[in-house]
Amino acid sequence: MNVILMGPPGAGKGTQADLIKANFPIPHISTGDMFRDAVSKGTDLGKEAKKYMDSGQLVPDEVTIGIVEERLAQDDCKKGFLLDGFPRTVKQAEALDRALAQIGKKVEAAIDIYVPEDVLVERISGRISCKNCKAVYHLTFNPPAKAGVCDKCGGELVQRSDDQGEAVKKRLEVYAEQTNPLIEYYEKQGTLHRIDGNRNTMEVFADIKKVMESL
Ligand code: ADP
Ligand code: AMP
């Protein structure tokens, strides 16, 4: 199963990826998580990525494509993968197709979760996540049992720096300009599945599950 999860910031990709991971035996690869990890470790990659992330811009294609190719070459991806937040540009999608073709694979499903912009802003502004295990909550839609504390591991819940201020607006603009064209890209390939993400989490997941089971 070689699947990519698309959709604007706040569409629910990470939330759905957690459910997919629990139901299908494929690794979840989130480029956003990989960059945030690198930032928190203070690596060279993290220092480079942080310059773009803080202002809501995309990390340059060369850097992003490189880390994804490295990750896809790891053993656990032999049985398939769930890419979340990659590709985000046509250049990245073409690079992914080339890299997969070299090992006799292809993207089997591009699942696009769509949600109206006002709902995205509401979701992004209320998102909090665990510093330790990265579990994602929402202050209103999915609050933790105890404010500020992760239900799963007891870690501290924090707001992402790019979920505040101007970066939110910028990320939505960047999505519309650079990532939206991928819908047509995958439609032409015949692998696109569009899912209404403006419903409760389990309803959205039921539709995604159907797509995954059809592969
Ligand atoms: P993405 O990975 O696409 O940026 P997330 O999965 O982090 O999105 O979800 C963004 C925010 O919206 C989180 O706070 C999450 O708890 C909340 N959320 C996700 N799916 C839903 C849903 N179906 N209904 C309401 N809130 C949701
Ligand atoms: P996300 O967690 O998917 O919302 O990503 C957070 C940030 O990481 C984005 O705003 C970008 O700065 C960067 N990023 C994540 N994935 C990519 C990608 N495929 N291409 C470029 N930048 C990315």
Side-chain angles (χ1 to χ4, degrees), residues 6-17 84 113 119-120 122-124 126-128 136-139 141-142 160 171 197-202 204:
M6 302 195 302
K13 299 181 296 297
T15 302
Q16 294 298 327
D84 158 7
I113 307 176
V119 179
L120 293 174
E122 223 183 342
R123 287 189 185 177
I124 294 171
R127 170 164 54 191
I128 42 174
V136 174
Y137 299 82
H138 191 281
L139 290 170
F141 306 138
N142 177 27
R160 271 167 56 172
R171 280 156 66 213
N198 193 17
R199 294 174 292 162
N200 82 50
T201 299
M202 292 317 290
V204 178

PDB file of all heavy atoms in Angstrom, residues 6-17 84 113 119-120 122-124 126-128 136-139 141-142 160 171 197-202 204, ligand 1:
ATOM      1  N   MET A   6      -3.260  14.005   1.442  1.00  0.00           N
ATOM      2  CA  MET A   6      -3.122  15.421   1.103  1.00  0.00           C
ATOM      3  C   MET A   6      -4.235  16.219   1.773  1.00  0.00           C
ATOM      4  O   MET A   6      -5.209  15.659   2.268  1.00  0.00           O
ATOM      5  CB  MET A   6      -3.253  15.619  -0.401  1.00  0.00           C
ATOM      6  CG  MET A   6      -2.246  14.846  -1.220  1.00  0.00           C
ATOM      7  SD  MET A   6      -2.181  15.458  -2.903  1.00  0.00           S
ATOM      8  CE  MET A   6      -3.837  15.249  -3.448  1.00  0.00           C
ATOM      9  N   GLY A   7      -4.090  17.538   1.705  1.00  0.00           N
ATOM     10  CA  GLY A   7      -5.104  18.412   2.290  1.00  0.00           C
ATOM     11  C   GLY A   7      -4.410  19.588   2.933  1.00  0.00           C
ATOM     12  O   GLY A   7      -3.253  19.483   3.346  1.00  0.00           O
ATOM     13  N   PRO A   8      -5.116  20.711   3.052  1.00  0.00           N
ATOM     14  CA  PRO A   8      -4.501  21.925   3.618  1.00  0.00           C
ATOM     15  C   PRO A   8      -4.147  21.757   5.094  1.00  0.00           C
ATOM     16  O   PRO A   8      -4.620  20.809   5.737  1.00  0.00           O
ATOM     17  CB  PRO A   8      -5.606  22.979   3.438  1.00  0.00           C
ATOM     18  CG  PRO A   8      -6.868  22.200   3.274  1.00  0.00           C
ATOM     19  CD  PRO A   8      -6.504  20.903   2.644  1.00  0.00           C
ATOM     20  N   PRO A   9      -3.351  22.685   5.640  1.00  0.00           N
ATOM     21  CA  PRO A   9      -3.041  22.634   7.062  1.00  0.00           C
ATOM     22  C   PRO A   9      -4.342  22.637   7.863  1.00  0.00           C
ATOM     23  O   PRO A   9      -5.245  23.413   7.575  1.00  0.00           O
ATOM     24  CB  PRO A   9      -2.265  23.938   7.325  1.00  0.00           C
ATOM     25  CG  PRO A   9      -1.870  24.461   6.000  1.00  0.00           C
ATOM     26  CD  PRO A   9      -2.745  23.842   4.964  1.00  0.00           C
ATOM     27  N   GLY A  10      -4.439  21.734   8.833  1.00  0.00           N
ATOM     28  CA  GLY A  10      -5.633  21.686   9.683  1.00  0.00           C
ATOM     29  C   GLY A  10      -6.727  20.771   9.151  1.00  0.00           C
ATOM     30  O   GLY A  10      -7.752  20.585   9.801  1.00  0.00           O
ATOM     31  N   ALA A  11      -6.523  20.146   7.980  1.00  0.00           N
ATOM     32  CA  ALA A  11      -7.578  19.307   7.393  1.00  0.00           C
ATOM     33  C   ALA A  11      -7.825  18.040   8.210  1.00  0.00           C
ATOM     34  O   ALA A  11      -8.885  17.424   8.106  1.00  0.00           O
ATOM     35  CB  ALA A  11      -7.214  18.943   5.957  1.00  0.00           C
ATOM     36  N   GLY A  12      -6.817  17.648   8.990  1.00  0.00           N
ATOM     37  CA  GLY A  12      -6.975  16.434   9.801  1.00  0.00           C
ATOM     38  C   GLY A  12      -6.081  15.289   9.337  1.00  0.00           C
ATOM     39  O   GLY A  12      -6.325  14.133   9.694  1.00  0.00           O
ATOM     40  N   LYS A  13      -5.020  15.604   8.587  1.00  0.00           N
ATOM     41  CA  LYS A  13      -4.143  14.554   8.051  1.00  0.00           C
ATOM     42  C   LYS A  13      -3.481  13.756   9.187  1.00  0.00           C
ATOM     43  O   LYS A  13      -3.495  12.529   9.173  1.00  0.00           O
ATOM     44  CB  LYS A  13      -3.048  15.168   7.152  1.00  0.00           C
ATOM     45  CG  LYS A  13      -3.593  15.916   5.938  1.00  0.00           C
ATOM     46  CD  LYS A  13      -2.483  16.479   5.070  1.00  0.00           C
ATOM     47  CE  LYS A  13      -1.634  17.532   5.742  1.00  0.00           C
ATOM     48  NZ  LYS A  13      -2.361  18.781   6.129  1.00  0.00           N
ATOM     49  N   GLY A  14      -2.907  14.467  10.149  1.00  0.00           N
ATOM     50  CA  GLY A  14      -2.220  13.795  11.254  1.00  0.00           C
ATOM     51  C   GLY A  14      -3.188  12.949  12.075  1.00  0.00           C
ATOM     52  O   GLY A  14      -2.878  11.818  12.457  1.00  0.00           O
ATOM     53  N   THR A  15      -4.377  13.491  12.314  1.00  0.00           N
ATOM     54  CA  THR A  15      -5.401  12.783  13.092  1.00  0.00           C
ATOM     55  C   THR A  15      -5.799  11.496  12.368  1.00  0.00           C
ATOM     56  O   THR A  15      -5.889  10.426  12.967  1.00  0.00           O
ATOM     57  CB  THR A  15      -6.639  13.706  13.258  1.00  0.00           C
ATOM     58  OG1 THR A  15      -6.207  14.907  13.903  1.00  0.00           O
ATOM     59  CG2 THR A  15      -7.736  13.048  14.049  1.00  0.00           C
ATOM     60  N   GLN A  16      -6.015  11.585  11.062  1.00  0.00           N
ATOM     61  CA  GLN A  16      -6.392  10.404  10.275  1.00  0.00           C
ATOM     62  C   GLN A  16      -5.222   9.437  10.158  1.00  0.00           C
ATOM     63  O   GLN A  16      -5.418   8.214  10.183  1.00  0.00           O
ATOM     64  CB  GLN A  16      -6.895  10.827   8.884  1.00  0.00           C
ATOM     65  CG  GLN A  16      -8.199  11.618   8.921  1.00  0.00           C
ATOM     66  CD  GLN A  16      -9.367  10.831   9.516  1.00  0.00           C
ATOM     67  OE1 GLN A  16      -9.458   9.621   9.360  1.00  0.00           O
ATOM     68  NE2 GLN A  16     -10.251  11.525  10.216  1.00  0.00           N
ATOM     69  N   ALA A  17      -4.010   9.973  10.053  1.00  0.00           N
ATOM     70  CA  ALA A  17      -2.834   9.100   9.921  1.00  0.00           C
ATOM     71  C   ALA A  17      -2.696   8.204  11.155  1.00  0.00           C
ATOM     72  O   ALA A  17      -2.337   7.029  11.035  1.00  0.00           O
ATOM     73  CB  ALA A  17      -1.563   9.941   9.730  1.00  0.00           C
ATOM     74  N   ASP A  84       2.448  11.814   4.662  1.00  0.00           N
ATOM     75  CA  ASP A  84       1.535  12.860   5.167  1.00  0.00           C
ATOM     76  C   ASP A  84       2.261  14.203   5.064  1.00  0.00           C
ATOM     77  O   ASP A  84       3.297  14.401   5.688  1.00  0.00           O
ATOM     78  CB  ASP A  84       1.178  12.471   6.622  1.00  0.00           C
ATOM     79  CG  ASP A  84       0.707  13.621   7.494  1.00  0.00           C
ATOM     80  OD1 ASP A  84       0.502  14.732   7.000  1.00  0.00           O
ATOM     81  OD2 ASP A  84       0.546  13.375   8.709  1.00  0.00           O
ATOM     82  N   ILE A 113      -8.049  15.328   1.650  1.00  0.00           N
ATOM     83  CA  ILE A 113      -9.087  15.690   2.630  1.00  0.00           C
ATOM     84  C   ILE A 113      -9.394  17.178   2.446  1.00  0.00           C
ATOM     85  O   ILE A 113      -8.497  18.009   2.587  1.00  0.00           O
ATOM     86  CB  ILE A 113      -8.597  15.437   4.073  1.00  0.00           C
ATOM     87  CG1 ILE A 113      -8.076  13.998   4.227  1.00  0.00           C
ATOM     88  CG2 ILE A 113      -9.703  15.715   5.075  1.00  0.00           C
ATOM     89  CD1 ILE A 113      -7.491  13.698   5.610  1.00  0.00           C
ATOM     90  N   VAL A 119     -13.203  26.735   8.724  1.00  0.00           N
ATOM     91  CA  VAL A 119     -13.059  25.600   9.650  1.00  0.00           C
ATOM     92  C   VAL A 119     -11.568  25.293   9.865  1.00  0.00           C
ATOM     93  O   VAL A 119     -11.138  24.989  10.986  1.00  0.00           O
ATOM     94  CB  VAL A 119     -13.815  24.357   9.111  1.00  0.00           C
ATOM     95  CG1 VAL A 119     -13.646  23.162  10.043  1.00  0.00           C
ATOM     96  CG2 VAL A 119     -15.291  24.669   8.914  1.00  0.00           C
ATOM     97  N   LEU A 120     -10.792  25.415   8.797  1.00  0.00           N
ATOM     98  CA  LEU A 120      -9.342  25.161   8.924  1.00  0.00           C
ATOM     99  C   LEU A 120      -8.736  26.101   9.955  1.00  0.00           C
ATOM    100  O   LEU A 120      -7.974  25.687  10.830  1.00  0.00           O
ATOM    101  CB  LEU A 120      -8.624  25.371   7.583  1.00  0.00           C
ATOM    102  CG  LEU A 120      -8.938  24.390   6.464  1.00  0.00           C
ATOM    103  CD1 LEU A 120      -8.259  24.830   5.171  1.00  0.00           C
ATOM    104  CD2 LEU A 120      -8.482  22.982   6.843  1.00  0.00           C
ATOM    105  N   GLU A 122     -10.180  27.669  12.401  1.00  0.00           N
ATOM    106  CA  GLU A 122     -10.653  27.298  13.744  1.00  0.00           C
ATOM    107  C   GLU A 122      -9.871  26.096  14.284  1.00  0.00           C
ATOM    108  O   GLU A 122      -9.483  26.056  15.444  1.00  0.00           O
ATOM    109  CB  GLU A 122     -12.122  26.894  13.600  1.00  0.00           C
ATOM    110  CG  GLU A 122     -13.031  27.423  14.683  1.00  0.00           C
ATOM    111  CD  GLU A 122     -14.448  26.897  14.482  1.00  0.00           C
ATOM    112  OE1 GLU A 122     -14.791  26.419  13.366  1.00  0.00           O
ATOM    113  OE2 GLU A 122     -15.207  26.970  15.451  1.00  0.00           O
ATOM    114  N   ARG A 123      -9.637  25.124  13.419  1.00  0.00           N
ATOM    115  CA  ARG A 123      -8.917  23.921  13.849  1.00  0.00           C
ATOM    116  C   ARG A 123      -7.460  24.238  14.168  1.00  0.00           C
ATOM    117  O   ARG A 123      -6.920  23.778  15.175  1.00  0.00           O
ATOM    118  CB  ARG A 123      -8.970  22.847  12.758  1.00  0.00           C
ATOM    119  CG  ARG A 123     -10.322  22.201  12.644  1.00  0.00           C
ATOM    120  CD  ARG A 123     -10.221  21.015  11.712  1.00  0.00           C
ATOM    121  NE  ARG A 123     -11.510  20.398  11.463  1.00  0.00           N
ATOM    122  CZ  ARG A 123     -11.686  19.386  10.637  1.00  0.00           C
ATOM    123  NH1 ARG A 123     -10.657  18.900   9.968  1.00  0.00           N
ATOM    124  NH2 ARG A 123     -12.885  18.869  10.457  1.00  0.00           N
ATOM    125  N   ILE A 124      -6.835  25.041  13.285  1.00  0.00           N
ATOM    126  CA  ILE A 124      -5.417  25.347  13.488  1.00  0.00           C
ATOM    127  C   ILE A 124      -5.230  26.164  14.768  1.00  0.00           C
ATOM    128  O   ILE A 124      -4.324  25.898  15.563  1.00  0.00           O
ATOM    129  CB  ILE A 124      -4.846  26.124  12.271  1.00  0.00           C
ATOM    130  CG1 ILE A 124      -4.842  25.237  11.019  1.00  0.00           C
ATOM    131  CG2 ILE A 124      -3.438  26.639  12.563  1.00  0.00           C
ATOM    132  CD1 ILE A 124      -4.498  25.967   9.735  1.00  0.00           C
ATOM    133  N   GLY A 126      -6.899  26.174  17.454  1.00  0.00           N
ATOM    134  CA  GLY A 126      -7.135  25.464  18.720  1.00  0.00           C
ATOM    135  C   GLY A 126      -6.274  24.219  18.882  1.00  0.00           C
ATOM    136  O   GLY A 126      -6.407  23.488  19.858  1.00  0.00           O
ATOM    137  N   ARG A 127      -5.379  23.972  17.900  1.00  0.00           N
ATOM    138  CA  ARG A 127      -4.577  22.733  17.968  1.00  0.00           C
ATOM    139  C   ARG A 127      -3.495  22.825  19.045  1.00  0.00           C
ATOM    140  O   ARG A 127      -2.777  23.807  19.142  1.00  0.00           O
ATOM    141  CB  ARG A 127      -3.919  22.470  16.608  1.00  0.00           C
ATOM    142  CG  ARG A 127      -2.876  21.355  16.658  1.00  0.00           C
ATOM    143  CD  ARG A 127      -2.513  20.823  15.294  1.00  0.00           C
ATOM    144  NE  ARG A 127      -2.092  21.828  14.352  1.00  0.00           N
ATOM    145  CZ  ARG A 127      -1.925  21.617  13.044  1.00  0.00           C
ATOM    146  NH1 ARG A 127      -2.171  20.417  12.539  1.00  0.00           N
ATOM    147  NH2 ARG A 127      -1.538  22.586  12.249  1.00  0.00           N
ATOM    148  N   ILE A 128      -3.388  21.780  19.846  1.00  0.00           N
ATOM    149  CA  ILE A 128      -2.290  21.659  20.795  1.00  0.00           C
ATOM    150  C   ILE A 128      -1.738  20.245  20.653  1.00  0.00           C
ATOM    151  O   ILE A 128      -2.478  19.333  20.270  1.00  0.00           O
ATOM    152  CB  ILE A 128      -2.737  21.914  22.264  1.00  0.00           C
ATOM    153  CG1 ILE A 128      -4.077  21.232  22.551  1.00  0.00           C
ATOM    154  CG2 ILE A 128      -2.779  23.405  22.604  1.00  0.00           C
ATOM    155  CD1 ILE A 128      -4.527  21.312  24.000  1.00  0.00           C
ATOM    156  N   VAL A 136      -2.043  14.703  19.065  1.00  0.00           N
ATOM    157  CA  VAL A 136      -2.666  15.981  18.720  1.00  0.00           C
ATOM    158  C   VAL A 136      -4.058  16.092  19.356  1.00  0.00           C
ATOM    159  O   VAL A 136      -4.843  15.147  19.333  1.00  0.00           O
ATOM    160  CB  VAL A 136      -2.777  16.122  17.179  1.00  0.00           C
ATOM    161  CG1 VAL A 136      -3.542  17.374  16.797  1.00  0.00           C
ATOM    162  CG2 VAL A 136      -1.388  16.149  16.561  1.00  0.00           C
ATOM    163  N   TYR A 137      -4.346  17.266  19.933  1.00  0.00           N
ATOM    164  CA  TYR A 137      -5.645  17.547  20.553  1.00  0.00           C
ATOM    165  C   TYR A 137      -6.174  18.858  19.982  1.00  0.00           C
ATOM    166  O   TYR A 137      -5.473  19.570  19.256  1.00  0.00           O
ATOM    167  CB  TYR A 137      -5.491  17.717  22.082  1.00  0.00           C
ATOM    168  CG  TYR A 137      -4.965  16.494  22.784  1.00  0.00           C
ATOM    169  CD1 TYR A 137      -3.589  16.222  22.818  1.00  0.00           C
ATOM    170  CD2 TYR A 137      -5.827  15.616  23.414  1.00  0.00           C
ATOM    171  CE1 TYR A 137      -3.109  15.093  23.463  1.00  0.00           C
ATOM    172  CE2 TYR A 137      -5.358  14.487  24.068  1.00  0.00           C
ATOM    173  CZ  TYR A 137      -3.990  14.232  24.087  1.00  0.00           C
ATOM    174  OH  TYR A 137      -3.523  13.117  24.726  1.00  0.00           O
ATOM    175  N   HIS A 138      -7.427  19.179  20.367  1.00  0.00           N
ATOM    176  CA  HIS A 138      -7.976  20.495  20.031  1.00  0.00           C
ATOM    177  C   HIS A 138      -8.639  21.048  21.286  1.00  0.00           C
ATOM    178  O   HIS A 138      -9.338  20.304  21.986  1.00  0.00           O
ATOM    179  CB  HIS A 138      -8.987  20.385  18.883  1.00  0.00           C
ATOM    180  CG  HIS A 138      -9.388  21.709  18.335  1.00  0.00           C
ATOM    181  ND1 HIS A 138     -10.314  22.513  18.960  1.00  0.00           N
ATOM    182  CD2 HIS A 138      -8.949  22.397  17.252  1.00  0.00           C
ATOM    183  CE1 HIS A 138     -10.451  23.635  18.264  1.00  0.00           C
ATOM    184  NE2 HIS A 138      -9.635  23.588  17.227  1.00  0.00           N
ATOM    185  N   LEU A 139      -8.407  22.334  21.549  1.00  0.00           N
ATOM    186  CA  LEU A 139      -8.922  22.921  22.795  1.00  0.00           C
ATOM    187  C   LEU A 139     -10.427  22.742  22.933  1.00  0.00           C
ATOM    188  O   LEU A 139     -10.937  22.531  24.026  1.00  0.00           O
ATOM    189  CB  LEU A 139      -8.560  24.412  22.855  1.00  0.00           C
ATOM    190  CG  LEU A 139      -7.068  24.715  23.063  1.00  0.00           C
ATOM    191  CD1 LEU A 139      -6.778  26.191  22.859  1.00  0.00           C
ATOM    192  CD2 LEU A 139      -6.627  24.259  24.457  1.00  0.00           C
ATOM    193  N   PHE A 141     -12.571  20.893  20.137  1.00  0.00           N
ATOM    194  CA  PHE A 141     -13.132  19.718  19.458  1.00  0.00           C
ATOM    195  C   PHE A 141     -12.628  18.388  20.025  1.00  0.00           C
ATOM    196  O   PHE A 141     -13.267  17.360  19.863  1.00  0.00           O
ATOM    197  CB  PHE A 141     -12.823  19.761  17.955  1.00  0.00           C
ATOM    198  CG  PHE A 141     -13.258  21.042  17.296  1.00  0.00           C
ATOM    199  CD1 PHE A 141     -12.440  21.672  16.358  1.00  0.00           C
ATOM    200  CD2 PHE A 141     -14.483  21.622  17.611  1.00  0.00           C
ATOM    201  CE1 PHE A 141     -12.840  22.856  15.748  1.00  0.00           C
ATOM    202  CE2 PHE A 141     -14.889  22.803  17.004  1.00  0.00           C
ATOM    203  CZ  PHE A 141     -14.062  23.422  16.074  1.00  0.00           C
ATOM    204  N   ASN A 142     -11.449  18.410  20.633  1.00  0.00           N
ATOM    205  CA  ASN A 142     -10.879  17.155  21.150  1.00  0.00           C
ATOM    206  C   ASN A 142      -9.960  17.490  22.332  1.00  0.00           C
ATOM    207  O   ASN A 142      -8.744  17.291  22.264  1.00  0.00           O
ATOM    208  CB  ASN A 142     -10.107  16.470  19.997  1.00  0.00           C
ATOM    209  CG  ASN A 142      -9.416  15.211  20.442  1.00  0.00           C
ATOM    210  OD1 ASN A 142      -9.834  14.551  21.391  1.00  0.00           O
ATOM    211  ND2 ASN A 142      -8.312  14.872  19.778  1.00  0.00           N
ATOM    212  N   ARG A 160       1.846  24.832  18.500  1.00  0.00           N
ATOM    213  CA  ARG A 160       2.954  24.988  17.536  1.00  0.00           C
ATOM    214  C   ARG A 160       3.163  26.462  17.238  1.00  0.00           C
ATOM    215  O   ARG A 160       2.195  27.213  17.121  1.00  0.00           O
ATOM    216  CB  ARG A 160       2.563  24.274  16.225  1.00  0.00           C
ATOM    217  CG  ARG A 160       2.963  22.831  16.192  1.00  0.00           C
ATOM    218  CD  ARG A 160       2.296  22.096  15.060  1.00  0.00           C
ATOM    219  NE  ARG A 160       2.528  22.659  13.732  1.00  0.00           N
ATOM    220  CZ  ARG A 160       2.150  22.065  12.604  1.00  0.00           C
ATOM    221  NH1 ARG A 160       1.530  20.903  12.642  1.00  0.00           N
ATOM    222  NH2 ARG A 160       2.380  22.622  11.436  1.00  0.00           N
ATOM    223  N   ARG A 171       0.514  29.960   5.442  1.00  0.00           N
ATOM    224  CA  ARG A 171       0.469  28.534   5.097  1.00  0.00           C
ATOM    225  C   ARG A 171      -0.752  28.211   4.232  1.00  0.00           C
ATOM    226  O   ARG A 171      -0.669  27.388   3.325  1.00  0.00           O
ATOM    227  CB  ARG A 171       0.462  27.681   6.371  1.00  0.00           C
ATOM    228  CG  ARG A 171       1.861  27.542   6.954  1.00  0.00           C
ATOM    229  CD  ARG A 171       1.838  27.239   8.430  1.00  0.00           C
ATOM    230  NE  ARG A 171       1.275  25.961   8.745  1.00  0.00           N
ATOM    231  CZ  ARG A 171       0.573  25.695   9.849  1.00  0.00           C
ATOM    232  NH1 ARG A 171       0.348  26.641  10.734  1.00  0.00           N
ATOM    233  NH2 ARG A 171       0.118  24.497  10.061  1.00  0.00           N
ATOM    234  N   GLY A 197     -13.674  16.337   4.680  1.00  0.00           N
ATOM    235  CA  GLY A 197     -13.077  16.298   6.021  1.00  0.00           C
ATOM    236  C   GLY A 197     -13.832  17.111   7.048  1.00  0.00           C
ATOM    237  O   GLY A 197     -13.444  17.166   8.210  1.00  0.00           O
ATOM    238  N   ASN A 198     -14.941  17.748   6.622  1.00  0.00           N
ATOM    239  CA  ASN A 198     -15.705  18.586   7.547  1.00  0.00           C
ATOM    240  C   ASN A 198     -16.816  17.767   8.210  1.00  0.00           C
ATOM    241  O   ASN A 198     -17.989  18.110   8.133  1.00  0.00           O
ATOM    242  CB  ASN A 198     -16.272  19.792   6.797  1.00  0.00           C
ATOM    243  CG  ASN A 198     -16.797  20.847   7.752  1.00  0.00           C
ATOM    244  OD1 ASN A 198     -16.470  20.828   8.952  1.00  0.00           O
ATOM    245  ND2 ASN A 198     -17.604  21.765   7.253  1.00  0.00           N
ATOM    246  N   ARG A 199     -16.408  16.653   8.787  1.00  0.00           N
ATOM    247  CA  ARG A 199     -17.340  15.775   9.508  1.00  0.00           C
ATOM    248  C   ARG A 199     -16.595  15.247  10.715  1.00  0.00           C
ATOM    249  O   ARG A 199     -15.395  15.508  10.855  1.00  0.00           O
ATOM    250  CB  ARG A 199     -17.739  14.589   8.606  1.00  0.00           C
ATOM    251  CG  ARG A 199     -18.537  14.999   7.407  1.00  0.00           C
ATOM    252  CD  ARG A 199     -18.784  13.821   6.482  1.00  0.00           C
ATOM    253  NE  ARG A 199     -17.548  13.362   5.858  1.00  0.00           N
ATOM    254  CZ  ARG A 199     -17.396  12.175   5.284  1.00  0.00           C
ATOM    255  NH1 ARG A 199     -18.381  11.319   5.256  1.00  0.00           N
ATOM    256  NH2 ARG A 199     -16.241  11.831   4.735  1.00  0.00           N
ATOM    257  N   ASN A 200     -17.262  14.477  11.553  1.00  0.00           N
ATOM    258  CA  ASN A 200     -16.503  14.025  12.708  1.00  0.00           C
ATOM    259  C   ASN A 200     -15.424  13.026  12.283  1.00  0.00           C
ATOM    260  O   ASN A 200     -15.503  12.384  11.230  1.00  0.00           O
ATOM    261  CB  ASN A 200     -17.415  13.575  13.866  1.00  0.00           C
ATOM    262  CG  ASN A 200     -17.918  12.166  13.687  1.00  0.00           C
ATOM    263  OD1 ASN A 200     -17.151  11.242  13.434  1.00  0.00           O
ATOM    264  ND2 ASN A 200     -19.216  12.002  13.817  1.00  0.00           N
ATOM    265  N   THR A 201     -14.404  12.935  13.127  1.00  0.00           N
ATOM    266  CA  THR A 201     -13.195  12.184  12.797  1.00  0.00           C
ATOM    267  C   THR A 201     -13.480  10.754  12.325  1.00  0.00           C
ATOM    268  O   THR A 201     -12.901  10.288  11.341  1.00  0.00           O
ATOM    269  CB  THR A 201     -12.272  12.169  14.038  1.00  0.00           C
ATOM    270  OG1 THR A 201     -11.943  13.530  14.341  1.00  0.00           O
ATOM    271  CG2 THR A 201     -11.004  11.395  13.808  1.00  0.00           C
ATOM    272  N   MET A 202     -14.393  10.054  13.000  1.00  0.00           N
ATOM    273  CA  MET A 202     -14.622   8.653  12.650  1.00  0.00           C
ATOM    274  C   MET A 202     -15.386   8.504  11.330  1.00  0.00           C
ATOM    275  O   MET A 202     -15.187   7.524  10.607  1.00  0.00           O
ATOM    276  CB  MET A 202     -15.350   7.904  13.785  1.00  0.00           C
ATOM    277  CG  MET A 202     -14.499   7.745  15.032  1.00  0.00           C
ATOM    278  SD  MET A 202     -12.761   7.268  14.736  1.00  0.00           S
ATOM    279  CE  MET A 202     -12.948   5.588  14.179  1.00  0.00           C
ATOM    280  N   VAL A 204     -14.986  10.553   8.778  1.00  0.00           N
ATOM    281  CA  VAL A 204     -13.941  10.776   7.766  1.00  0.00           C
ATOM    282  C   VAL A 204     -13.114   9.497   7.621  1.00  0.00           C
ATOM    283  O   VAL A 204     -12.850   9.021   6.511  1.00  0.00           O
ATOM    284  CB  VAL A 204     -13.025  11.969   8.169  1.00  0.00           C
ATOM    285  CG1 VAL A 204     -11.913  12.177   7.149  1.00  0.00           C
ATOM    286  CG2 VAL A 204     -13.842  13.244   8.348  1.00  0.00           C
TER     287      VAL A 204
HETATM  288  P1  ADP B   1      -3.229  18.404   9.738  1.00  0.00           P
HETATM  289  O1  ADP B   1      -2.266  17.278  10.071  1.00  0.00           O
HETATM  290  O2  ADP B   1      -3.934  18.199   8.432  1.00  0.00           O
HETATM  291  O3  ADP B   1      -2.607  19.764   9.817  1.00  0.00           O
HETATM  292  P2  ADP B   1      -4.484  17.737  12.320  1.00  0.00           P
HETATM  293  O4  ADP B   1      -4.784  16.274  12.229  1.00  0.00           O
HETATM  294  O5  ADP B   1      -3.331  18.155  13.168  1.00  0.00           O
HETATM  295  O6  ADP B   1      -4.393  18.391  10.827  1.00  0.00           O
HETATM  296  O7  ADP B   1      -5.841  18.451  12.827  1.00  0.00           O
HETATM  297  C1  ADP B   1      -5.876  19.868  13.050  1.00  0.00           C
HETATM  298  C2  ADP B   1      -6.697  20.166  14.307  1.00  0.00           C
HETATM  299  O8  ADP B   1      -8.062  19.845  14.059  1.00  0.00           O
HETATM  300  C3  ADP B   1      -6.282  19.352  15.538  1.00  0.00           C
HETATM  301  O9  ADP B   1      -6.405  20.166  16.680  1.00  0.00           O
HETATM  302  C4  ADP B   1      -7.272  18.179  15.569  1.00  0.00           C
HETATM  303  O10 ADP B   1      -7.523  17.725  16.900  1.00  0.00           O
HETATM  304  C5  ADP B   1      -8.531  18.825  14.960  1.00  0.00           C
HETATM  305  N1  ADP B   1      -9.301  17.896  14.131  1.00  0.00           N
HETATM  306  C6  ADP B   1      -8.835  16.952  13.267  1.00  0.00           C
HETATM  307  N2  ADP B   1      -9.845  16.302  12.651  1.00  0.00           N
HETATM  308  C7  ADP B   1     -10.993  16.870  13.124  1.00  0.00           C
HETATM  309  C8  ADP B   1     -12.402  16.666  12.865  1.00  0.00           C
HETATM  310  N3  ADP B   1     -12.821  15.737  11.982  1.00  0.00           N
HETATM  311  N4  ADP B   1     -13.286  17.439  13.528  1.00  0.00           N
HETATM  312  C9  ADP B   1     -12.863  18.394  14.411  1.00  0.00           C
HETATM  313  N5  ADP B   1     -11.576  18.641  14.699  1.00  0.00           N
HETATM  314  C10 ADP B   1     -10.651  17.904  14.069  1.00  0.00           C
END
